[in-house]
Amino acid sequence: MRRSSLLLTLAIALAAARGAHAEGTGSATVDGVVRAAEEAERLVAQARRLADTARDVRDLLYYLSDPRGFQYEAMQTIDLVQRDPILGPLVRNLAELYRHRRWEAFATGQAMVDSATPASVAAGAGLTWDAPLCRLFEAQGSVQGFYQDQAAHGALAWGIGGCLPLPFNTFELAYHGRRDVRRSLLATSVRFPERDRGDTVDATVRFYRWLSPGHQIDVAPLSLQFDWARTDVTMFSSWMSLAPVRWARRGKGVGGRDQTFDFMRITFRTYGDQDDGVADPLAAAFSPLILDGIKLGDRIAVGLDVGLGIGELDATHRQALHLDASVVTVAGPTTVELHAQRAMQPTLANQLLDEDRLTARLDVDRTAAWLRVDGFAAHARLLGDARFSQRVWTYGAGADVTMALTDRIFLYGRLEGARGIVADDAAAIPATQRELRGTAGVTTTLRRPL
């Protein structure tokens, strides 16, 4: 095609030159030759494009008449990618994140009595759809009716969530509501006597996940939580955790647990009254490297999180050591876990709780009975703009016992007690309050994959 176009251009140019010479036009002859050559080249280019288009249309009609052409091209492309030493493993691993999806439905029922509530009944149900990449869908709800203070009351909890399962920048979102839900006495060192009413939004964005039988690597995981707790006023808290990468060696810890490594993680939390016009207290922590589940033998594993802790109020800025050192030991059905912590957290009344804390948990998992004992002891104080209170001791312990009466019905009991700080504004020695609670009941749970 190219040779014929050049010959055609040359022929046109010679013809134009003869005509121009016969008329004796001089320089006009040269201009005519150039224009004629350009026009000839343009016509040739158009003819070439028409020929290419005709060939593409012919190929398309061939593929449409016989889909095996498409299949062959697709198989050739897939085979090429699969054989690539870099793209092949990445593509196969990504495809596995979307397989093995599982629906599961569950239902629960309870009848209980305790020291604060003479009688209560509860029922709940839920539905989940999980994939290795993320939880694709979740819906759950529960209701509790109870008799307290010579009157009937009700408590509700519900939630709905799911994820946008993009291979990159996977986004998860969940909303949970609660009305008159009671907290455990061990939930915090600061007393919160009211039943919990509020709403929580949880969100997670993860750039990429590598998942294999031995490893799970999450690149740029970002987790957020926003919570509105409603009592006489609306208390708002926000929490964030951000790290460049999180690596888990699956099943490499004691008792089949994972070994985890978090790099350059930043966390912060705020908590305060939305309507008081005062900046909410903030507690943050920066940890260069967080280790957990590092085995020291067949039965013992340790973890360590050391970094910089920061607490801020309106006119107060405090820096201190952030620490969480843990030891886990497993012996048959028994697991013991200890944590030594040094941390700050925001509290009510625009103050920070600064505490040295030791927590412990014992789990015994038998075939037809389970036992859990957990507790804490803390040396804590409250910090404010014009206040550095003295430290006081807080502590608490609880025990859960569950026994299987049948395959579906279980007898449950819990006893817990705690001494916690009562948040106030000015006392040099924070007030404390003790509370004891016992619960016993019968519960049933049914889980079934769909």
Side-chain angles (χ1 to χ4, degrees):
M1 179 67 74
R2 184 172 300 275
R3 172 177 292 181
S4 61
S5 65
L6 291 176
L7 292 175
L8 180 59
T9 302
L10 181 58
I12 294 173
L14 291 174
R18 291 195 191 95
H21 179 72
E23 296 177 2
T25 56
S27 62
T29 301
V30 178
D31 295 338
V33 171
V34 172
R35 286 194 298 271
E38 291 176 349
E39 180 66 16
E41 187 69 25
R42 185 181 67 81
L43 292 173
V44 171
Q46 288 182 351
R48 184 183 298 115
R49 286 196 296 271
L50 288 173
D52 292 340
T53 302
R55 185 170 55 254
D56 293 339
V57 170
R58 182 200 64 192
D59 293 341
L60 177 61
L61 292 175
Y62 168 75
Y63 282 127
L64 291 177
S65 64
D66 187 357
R68 289 176 297 179
F70 279 123
Q71 297 173 1
Y72 176 76
E73 294 292 341
M75 291 176 61
Q76 287 288 96
T77 303
I78 294 173
D79 183 67
L80 182 64
V81 172
Q82 292 276 11
R83 292 175 181 274
D84 189 275
I86 297 177
L87 291 179
L90 291 175
V91 171
R92 288 192 295 271
N93 188 269
L94 187 61
E96 286 296 320
L97 294 178
Y98 293 91
R99 295 172 181 165
H100 313 296
R101 296 182 300 274
R102 184 182 66 176
W103 284 95
E104 184 180 65
F106 67 89
T108 62
Q110 291 180 329
M112 296 180 295
V113 296
D114 64 37
S115 56
T117 304
S120 68
V121 292
L127 180 67
T128 60
W129 188 23
D130 289 314
L133 180 67
C134 59
R135 170 156 287 182
L136 299 168
F137 177 76
E138 171 191 18
Q140 56 180 295
S142 61
V143 59
Q144 181 188 32
F146 59 93
Y147 186 80
Q148 186 175 1
D149 298 330
Q150 300 181 348
H153 301 272
L156 298 172
W158 64 90
I160 188 169
C163 75
L164 186 62
L166 300 174
F168 299 96
N169 290 318
T170 305
F171 176 64
E172 300 180 57
L173 183 67
Y175 160 73
H176 295 90
R178 59 197 184 277
R179 299 293 183 267
D180 292 331
V181 176
R182 189 173 62 183
R183 294 187 180 189
S184 168
L185 298 178
L186 308 186
T188 176
S189 296
V190 179
R191 288 276 64 79
F192 191 86
E194 297 87 356
R195 282 181 169 262
D196 200 356
R197 299 173 56 87
D199 304 275
T200 303
V201 175
D202 295 284
T204 300
V205 180
R206 180 182 60 249
F207 175 71
Y208 176 72
R209 166 171 287 182
W210 170 276
L211 183 62
S212 67
H215 303 276
Q216 177 175 311
I217 301 174
D218 291 337
V219 180
L222 168 64
S223 298
L224 300 167
Q225 183 184 85
F226 304 98
D227 184 85
W228 293 263
R230 297 177 175 87
T231 55
D232 296 333
V233 297
T234 298
M235 307 298 295
F236 173 73
S237 68
S238 60
W239 173 85
M240 184 196 78
S241 175
L242 172 65
V245 65
R246 186 175 195 271
W247 173 31
R249 301 180 65 203
R250 303 178 66 189
K252 299 299 183 180
V254 296
R257 299 186 179 191
D258 295 345
Q259 289 182 356
T260 61
F261 306 84
D262 292 82
F263 301 91
M264 307 295 288
R265 191 178 72 183
I266 300 173
T267 61
F268 78 79
R269 181 182 292 277
T270 64
Y271 187 31
D273 185 351
Q274 281 191 306
D275 304 320
D276 60 2
V278 179
D280 296 336
L282 178 146
F286 169 70
S287 303
L289 176 61
I290 303 170
L291 309 174
D292 192 30
I294 307 302
K295 295 177 66 173
L296 298 183
D298 294 336
R299 297 183 178 181
I300 298 177
V302 298
L304 185 61
D305 174 6
V306 179
L308 174 65
I310 300 173
E312 288 190 356
L313 292 90
D314 280 341
T316 301
H317 179 85
R318 177 174 173 77
Q319 294 184 354
L321 175 69
H322 167 77
L323 172 67
D324 185 356
S326 64
V327 177
V328 177
T329 179
V330 177
T334 303
T335 302
V336 178
E337 184 171 353
L338 301 174
H339 283 263
Q341 298 169 308
R342 175 76 175 86
M344 290 182 285
Q345 59 177 300
T347 69
L348 301 172
N350 295 306
Q351 298 176 82
L352 291 168
L353 178 68
D354 179 18
E355 66 176 353
D356 301 320
R357 185 181 181 95
L358 181 66
T359 64
R361 191 177 74 190
L362 167 69
D363 287 287
V364 181
D365 188 354
R366 296 284 186 180
T367 303
W370 303 267
L371 169 67
R372 168 171 289 183
V373 179
D374 52 344
F376 77 92
H379 205 206
R381 62 179 177 178
L382 292 171
L383 306 179
D385 286 334
R387 178 188 190 189
F388 283 77
S389 77
Q390 297 183 26
R391 290 187 179 272
V392 296
W393 284 101
T394 61
Y395 46 81
D400 293 85
V401 178
T402 303
M403 297 181 62
L405 301 180
T406 69
D407 292 341
R408 294 280 183 262
I409 300 177
F410 306 91
L411 183 64
Y412 169 81
R414 178 172 175 81
L415 180 64
E416 60 179 357
R419 180 197 189 198
I421 292 177
V422 178
D424 52 37
D425 294 325
I429 302 177
T432 59
Q433 177 181 331
R434 292 184 179 89
E435 192 171 353
L436 182 66
R437 183 187 299 162
T439 304
V442 178
T443 180
T444 180
T445 300
L446 175 63
R447 291 185 177 274
R448 178 170 295 177
L450 301 179

